[in-house]
Amino acid sequence: MKATFAESDAPKAALARLRALWIVLASAIAGLLFAPVFGLRPLLLPIAVVLVACYGAVELCIQVKVLQPWRPLTMAVLGLFALSVTMFGSVDVTALAAGVTDSWQLTLQSTWPVRPDAELMFFVPLLVLLAAVIGIELLRWPAVALVPAVAVLVLSQAFVALTGVTAVLAALGFAVVAAGLYMPVRPGLVLIPTVVLGLVGAAVVTVVDTGEPYSLQQSDVAQVPLPRTISPLTEVAARLSNPETPVFSYTTTGPVDRWRLVVLNQFNGVSWEPDDNYRRLGSQVGPSTGAQVREYTAKIKAPEGQWLPSQSMPASVTGTAPLIDQSTGALLVRERKGALQYDLSWWEPQVDDDLSGAALSSSETPGPVGEIPRGLRTWRVRRLEEGGLRSGQPWFWSSTCAATTTWRRVRNFRLAVDGRSCGGFVGE
């Protein structure tokens, strides 16, 4: 490969160093825009390692002429070595391969911000390394040298699009770094347009409402394949036969009215099962209500089972990495052997004691019940065709068994529906 830097000319070598520095800075800024996904602090060290490794490789190739044709390979090898040691503790080829193929997908399958695990965030410094290597090699055509960094920037916005003042500051910072690439040659022609375009872009972003931005987390790739699960309702008989066996134990910092294990809200024609909108639990989940909330914590020891005792609005879990259904708060562990002890934090809405201005309006009318679930509707039609269900016979009832609680007491009940009855169990 033909060398780009000319070491024989000191001014040209200095210019080459400066331009390489601007390229790695632009790549680093693009990588830091993933901060809404991982948090800013976990990204700083691996991206800084990439910056130092790439610039060090450039300087090494300037000093050692024989390495100039191998500069891209030198930057890639030094960058991967530094990343592997920094993030995994050693040179782990298997972890590097998994980071390339799986880390971005695991990130999309998680709630954000993501747990700062190396297996999840490895693809970000890897993108920075790739953009820096390609960008430095494109310095022979300075007009396109920033294209790889811009590509990383666009990808970061496809994950989480920045808005408001943060977006303006990020755009201005990247524009200033981009201007620095050409400023040593024509400072006036670069700096003035950069400032003007930055101010115009800031005004446009502030005034124009672009609506809800798209995120790759909404794609089908972000769906977590659920493992084979067992409904806690099938364990009711075994629990009744051994009432002295505790389901779980806990100590908490706040009042707890009840615990929930799983929400069964999908009917497959035979039994009830959970929904499939589970995600990997990130470092923390914000409250799902606009009301005033307070955070409580509990230490829980659960002897067995896939479903972990939880609350309606979990905030974080330490001690294990479960899946979470954000709409119900249910927690699911993929693989579990033996007892499990973990710490759970959750949000609890706080009700204002002053209800003097609260009142019910008699002019408001209840809304419609809503559509019948597809699976249940199909089951009813099939049963009518087979003659197993008479026309007009009640066939659907609303169930509040969304939260299967602590199994302390389970009693038989009969629920009347239009003069008819059906058997079942409810936990208290």
Side-chain angles (χ1 to χ4, degrees):
M1 182 181 293
K2 185 179 179 180
T4 302
F5 294 162
E7 293 83 353
S8 59
D9 192 347
K12 289 184 177 180
L15 179 61
R17 291 187 182 95
L18 183 59
R19 285 184 167 178
L21 179 60
W22 287 120
I23 289 294
V24 295
L25 284 177
S27 303
I29 289 178
L32 290 176
L33 296 184
F34 283 92
V37 181
F38 299 95
L40 181 60
R41 183 177 298 178
L43 291 174
L44 289 177
L45 179 59
I47 291 180
V49 167
V50 170
L51 189 152
V52 173
C54 289
Y55 190 79
V58 170
E59 184 64 30
L60 178 64
C61 293
I62 290 177
Q63 299 297 331
V64 183
K65 295 182 180 181
V66 71
L67 292 178
Q68 289 182 17
W70 304 96
R71 188 179 60 205
L73 181 61
T74 303
M75 287 190 292
V77 171
L78 287 180
L80 288 176
F81 175 80
L83 276 179
S84 182
V85 173
T86 301
M87 303 188 70
F88 301 108
S90 62
V91 180
D92 191 338
V93 179
T94 304
L96 290 176
V100 173
T101 57
D102 299 335
S103 63
W104 63 273
Q105 187 172 0
L106 296 177
T107 299
L108 291 177
Q109 293 174 352
S110 176
T111 62
W112 294 347
V114 179
R115 293 174 183 264
D117 296 335
E119 294 79 7
L120 274 69
M121 59 186 296
F122 178 74
F123 78 98
V124 176
L126 187 64
L127 287 174
V128 174
L129 175 63
L130 183 63
V133 172
I134 298 177
I136 290 175
E137 290 307 302
L138 290 177
L139 278 174
R140 66 189 71 182
W141 305 290
V144 296
L146 284 175
V147 171
V150 172
V152 176
L153 186 150
V154 172
L155 181 60
S156 70
Q157 299 308 289
F159 273 72
V160 177
L162 299 179
T163 58
V165 178
T166 306
V168 173
L169 294 177
L172 287 175
F174 190 85
V176 169
V177 172
L181 179 62
Y182 309 101
M183 195 176 299
V185 180
R186 296 176 179 177
L189 294 178
V190 173
L191 184 59
I192 295 176
T194 299
V195 175
V196 173
L197 291 177
L199 293 177
V200 172
V204 171
V205 171
T206 304
V207 174
V208 177
D209 183 11
T210 58
E212 185 68 22
Y214 172 77
S215 173
L216 288 176
Q217 200 181 32
Q218 303 170 4
S219 63
D220 294 337
V221 180
Q223 297 297 322
V224 179
L226 289 181
R228 187 173 181 179
T229 59
I230 300 176
S231 172
L233 296 179
T234 61
E235 302 176 350
V236 172
R239 296 292 183 184
L240 288 175
S241 62
N242 298 280
E244 302 301 326
T245 303
V247 178
F248 67 94
S249 58
Y250 68 93
T251 57
T252 179
T253 59
V256 178
D257 177 63
R258 64 189 64 194
W259 295 90
R260 61 176 58 190
L261 287 180
V262 59
V263 174
L264 308 173
N265 54 2
Q266 297 294 320
F267 188 70
N268 59 14
V270 178
S271 61
W272 292 91
E273 59 185 11
D275 205 348
D276 59 353
N277 57 348
Y278 280 76
R279 291 187 178 276
R280 303 176 191 274
L281 181 60
S283 58
Q284 188 174 42
V285 179
S288 58
T289 177
Q292 184 179 1
V293 294
R294 182 176 178 181
E295 186 175 2
Y296 294 105
T297 60
K299 292 184 177 295
I300 304 173
K301 185 176 182 179
E304 59 185 9
Q306 293 176 294
W307 307 99
L308 300 182
S310 179
Q311 294 293 322
S312 60
M313 290 190 294
S316 63
V317 173
T318 56
T320 185
L323 305 178
I324 181 175
D325 183 353
Q326 289 182 263
S327 61
T328 63
L331 300 176
L332 171 64
V333 178
R334 284 176 171 272
E335 298 179 359
R336 175 181 171 185
K337 296 180 180 179
L340 179 64
Q341 186 170 351
Y342 62 98
D343 295 338
L344 171 69
S345 299
W346 72 93
W347 305 105
E348 191 71 28
Q350 302 298 304
V351 180
D352 192 355
D353 295 334
D354 184 13
L355 300 178
S356 58
L360 295 176
S361 175
S362 59
S363 62
E364 297 293 334
T365 58
V369 175
E371 293 187 4
I372 300 170
R374 181 185 297 274
L376 197 57
R377 184 168 61 249
T378 305
W379 173 83
R380 178 180 185 267
V381 173
R382 185 171 64 251
R383 294 287 292 167
L384 284 173
E385 293 175 351
E386 294 174 355
L389 186 69
R390 298 190 303 275
S391 179
Q393 181 179 354
W395 57 279
F396 174 75
W397 61 90
S398 175
S399 172
T400 58
C401 62
T404 304
T405 55
T406 60
W407 308 96
R408 288 196 298 266
R409 290 181 298 165
V410 180
R411 62 181 176 82
N412 201 355
F413 78 100
R414 301 185 67 82
L415 176 65
V417 181
D418 292 343
R420 305 175 187 272
S421 62
C422 54
F425 292 95
V426 64
E428 293 185 351

